[in-house]
């Protein structure tokens, strides 16, 4: 039996995907549909950033330009290109033994030279704009860098909100794994881009997937089956947004074009969502 009316799953997509999602959420808000009103928000990787912004009641339009923190968090990420290539090679062969691939990716993450953890926590804290967990139910996904096991943070889990978001976005070779309660955690998208299955029990599930055009959809379909929502609406980049996002999801120069593309696509998404978001009725 469904226990939630509306759930929102926000997927991974690098900084550029975060900008596109922020523009989309801003445009939907301007159209009278505030995604932050969801009963449950699941945020994965950069989806955790936008999820935290929405769940804490902030206006996503403030992310029209990226927010840069003062101090050490204001320095650009220190990407370890060699380790990043190793991670992609490991993940490319993960189909035969994904659990071992995740553990190997974690070992690479720990030794990669990607700068201090606190700098990444500060970056994510500035983007999120909140230090405390919101009252609205928010789940942030990550992965244990040692065991490869999934981890879901919420307000009862003892992790500061900026640290949980930093952990969820800590892709090996780009950002350092984040230490929380004695364990180190890395990007939640290594296991699933959206983790939509965590929204089980919702009548209406909206999935926003910035990189839907880049990867096969089989995993998402399996997770949607687990969620079992009566109504499912998926929002993904249209051709104009795909061009604005570009081939490199970590290209920070694409932030504003991607944001504007999401903002422009929001009108069509609002029509797609209008009935489902307000009533939970069937939608195309």
């Amino acid at each position: 039996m469904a226990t939630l009316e509306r759930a929102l799953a926000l997927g991974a997509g690098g900084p550029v995907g975060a900008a596109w999602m922020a523009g989309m959420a801003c445009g939907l808000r301007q159209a009278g549909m505030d995604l932050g009103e969801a009963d449950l928000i699941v945020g994965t990787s950069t989806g955790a950033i936008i999820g935290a912004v929405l769940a804490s009641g902030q206006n996503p339009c403030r992310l029209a330009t990226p927010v840069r923190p003062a101090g050490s968090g204001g320095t650009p990420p220190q990407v370890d290109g060699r380790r990043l290539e190793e991670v992609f090679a490991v993940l490319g062969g993960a189909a035969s033994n994904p659990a071992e691939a995740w553990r190997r990716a974690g070992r690479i993450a720990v030794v990669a030279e990607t700068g201090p953890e606190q700098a990444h926590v500060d970056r994510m804290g500035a983007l999120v704009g909140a230090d405390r967990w919101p009252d609205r139910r928010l789940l942030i996904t990550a992965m244990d860098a040692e065991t490869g096991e999934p981890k879901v943070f919420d307000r009862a889990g003892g992790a500061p909100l900026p640290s949980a978001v930093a952990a969820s976005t800590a892709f090996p070779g780009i950002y350092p794994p984040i230490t929380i309660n004695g364990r180190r955690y890395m990007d939640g998208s290594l296991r699933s881009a959206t983790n939509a299955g965590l929204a089980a029990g919702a009548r209406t599930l909206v999935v926003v997937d910035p990189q839907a055009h880049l990867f096969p959809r089989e995993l998402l379909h399996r997770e949607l089956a687990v969620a079992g929502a009566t109504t499912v609406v998926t929002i993904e980049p249209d051709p104009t947004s795909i061009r604005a996002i570009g081939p490199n999801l970590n290209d920070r120069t694409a932030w504003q074009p991607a944001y504007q593309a999401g903002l422009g696509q929001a009108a069509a998404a609002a029509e797609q969502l209008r009935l489902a978001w307000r009533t939970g009725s069937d939608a195309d």
Side-chain angles (χ1 to χ4, degrees), residues 135-233:
D135 292 333
R136 191 171 299 277
R137 191 177 178 201
L138 171 66
L139 304 180
I140 292 178
T141 68
M143 181 179 288
D144 190 298
E146 179 181 359
T147 67
E149 291 298 313
K151 175 68 176 180
V152 180
F153 295 105
D154 61 17
R155 64 174 176 263
L161 179 59
S163 295
V165 173
S168 187
T169 58
F171 195 89
I174 299 178
Y175 301 115
I178 302 301
T179 303
I180 298 174
N181 297 329
R183 307 291 302 179
R184 298 192 77 186
Y185 296 97
M186 59 184 181
D187 199 307
S189 70
L190 293 171
R191 180 178 289 265
S192 166
T194 67
N195 289 282
L198 292 175
R203 297 184 188 277
T204 296
L205 171 58
V206 175
V207 180
V208 184
D209 189 355
Q211 54 183 11
H213 57 293
L214 297 176
F215 298 102
R217 310 294 281 159
E218 287 82 358
L219 178 57
L220 175 59
H221 293 158
R222 291 197 296 271
E223 292 183 341
L224 293 178
V226 170
T230 303
T231 301
V232 175
V233 179

Side-chain angles (χ1 to χ4, degrees), residues 27-48:
L28 288 172
R29 181 185 176 108
Q30 292 172 348
M33 276 168 282
D34 184 357
L35 295 181
E37 294 177 349
D39 301 300
L40 166 67
I41 298 176
V42 179
T44 294
S45 194
T46 48

Side-chain angles (χ1 to χ4, degrees), residues 53-89:
V53 168
L54 294 173
S56 57
Q58 299 177 65
N59 187 340
C61 303
R62 75 173 182 82
L63 295 176
T65 57
V67 180
R68 303 189 186 282
S72 63
T75 59
Q78 181 180 318
V79 177
D80 188 331
R82 181 169 68 90
R83 298 298 188 185
L84 185 58
E85 289 183 5
E86 291 177 9
V87 169
F88 283 133

Side-chain angles (χ1 to χ4, degrees), residues 243-261:
R243 289 192 294 271
I245 289 170
N248 182 2
L249 295 173
N250 289 295
D251 179 7
R252 285 166 176 75
T253 65
W255 181 286
Q256 288 179 298
Y259 176 91
Q260 291 299 325

